[in-house]
Amino acid sequence: MEKFEALIGEMEEYGRSNHVPIINEKGMPVLLEMVRQKKPHRVLEIGTAIGYSALLIANNSADDVEIDTLELSQERADIARAYIDRSAYKDRIRIHIGDAGENILKLSGKYDFVFIDAAKGQYPDYFRKVYPLLTENAMVLADNVLFRGYVRGAAECPRRFKTIVKRLREYISLVSENNEFETVIREDGDGLAVSQRLPKENNR
Ligand SMILES: C[S@@+](CC[C@H](N)C(=O)[O-])C[C@H]1O[C@@H](n2cnc3c(N)ncnc32)[C@H](O)[C@@H]1O
């Protein structure tokens, strides 16, 4: 088996040269911090791209981790499969090709860690659909929730992003106002919402 770091480095280079959006170098430490804290056993990732974050999650989770990751693009899923097959996690990561909003509904069992990183305008829908699949102590992490500074109005939002920004604001309200979760918005990278489900007696 080749060295994990070399594989990850090759994927970063592929992402850069082919303009594939993968979690950036400022958001990634937050993702890893949370995964290392939770050491999840069952992970759902929404938005595989080339499998970069799926492999990083696998490498920092519990030894028995199983990951379901959802990707719309057949081409990206094929690239992800090829990279993942070169790792020690090839039997631990399943890629489901198709629209995530539809494929979430076909999943069963419970997830203790969910990483939302696909269509930004669909985040509220993803959360609502994922909710019944969460364990009692699940963590849900969503990337890009501050979307280029537009979500908090730090920058004037171009018309083409207005719907995305509206939906991301809706997502932040949805998780922040849900008293079953403690949500922290981390400003690193493009902004990450970290929502930790609270023990029932501690519901806010
Ligand atoms: C930001 S990239 C994911 C990056 C990946 N999580 C990482 O950090 O390595 C978002 C991915 O979501 C996929 N995507 C967009 N809309 C989708 C949808 N409706 N269903 C499933 N995947 C979708 C895109 O094709 C893209 O590959």
Side-chain angles (χ1 to χ4, degrees):
M1 196 63 63
E2 65 190 291
K3 269 214 152 61
F4 186 74
E5 289 72 24
L7 181 63
I8 286 292
E10 187 183 322
M11 294 171 87
E12 286 168 356
E13 182 49 38
Y14 182 93
R16 262 192 302 275
S17 333
N18 294 280
H19 309 288
V20 179
I22 58 177
I23 189 162
N24 67 34
E25 70 279 4
K26 290 188 179 140
M28 194 244 281
V30 179
L31 172 66
L32 294 188
E33 178 190 333
M34 295 305 150
V35 174
R36 285 177 185 145
Q37 191 180 307
K38 288 299 290 181
K39 287 276 169 202
H41 298 273
R42 200 138 182 257
V43 175
L44 171 60
E45 176 182 68
I46 308 178
T48 318
I50 58 169
Y52 177 73
S53 51
L55 277 176
L56 287 172
I57 293 170
N59 193 44
N60 288 279
S61 296
D63 290 343
D64 64 351
V65 71
E66 288 189 23
I67 301 180
D68 287 302
T69 180
L70 315 182
E71 174 55 50
L72 184 62
S73 155
Q74 175 78 54
E75 188 189 346
R76 284 192 179 165
D78 289 345
I79 295 166
R81 187 74 261 160
Y83 278 127
I84 291 165
D85 283 350
R86 287 165 56 189
S87 79
Y89 306 107
K90 67 186 174 75
D91 298 325
R92 302 205 162 274
I93 303 176
R94 286 180 291 270
I95 305 175
H96 305 260
I97 302 160
D99 176 55
E102 288 174 21
N103 278 342
I104 295 170
L105 299 174
K106 297 178 192 161
L107 299 169
S108 56
K110 296 279 184 186
Y111 296 91
D112 51 357
F113 192 90
V114 177
F115 179 42
I116 303 182
D117 193 22
K120 310 304 159 202
Q122 299 300 316
Y123 278 23
D125 183 56
Y126 294 154
F127 184 81
R128 290 189 183 101
K129 288 176 174 166
V130 151
Y131 177 79
L133 302 175
L134 297 177
T135 62
E136 282 188 4
N137 67 345
M139 179 181 280
V140 180
L141 199 147
D143 195 16
N144 310 102
V145 294
L146 297 180
F147 198 63
R148 306 175 191 193
Y150 300 138
V151 170
R152 285 183 169 162
E156 177 68 24
C157 177
R159 265 181 72 148
R160 67 184 188 283
F161 295 140
K162 289 230 187 291
T163 304
I164 286 179
V165 167
K166 188 169 147 235
R167 297 272 176 77
L168 288 171
R169 287 183 183 137
E170 188 188 331
Y171 178 83
I172 291 173
S173 301
L174 188 66
V175 290
S176 304
E177 288 163 17
N178 186 325
N179 66 10
E180 287 182 32
F181 294 82
E182 182 83 65
T183 294
V184 175
I185 307 296
R186 299 280 298 256
E187 295 189 353
D188 313 71
D190 205 20
L192 298 105
V194 181
S195 303
Q196 172 60 55
R197 198 171 198 181
L198 300 167
K200 279 211 169 66
E201 62 276 17
N202 291 356
N203 279 189
R204 292 180 299 121

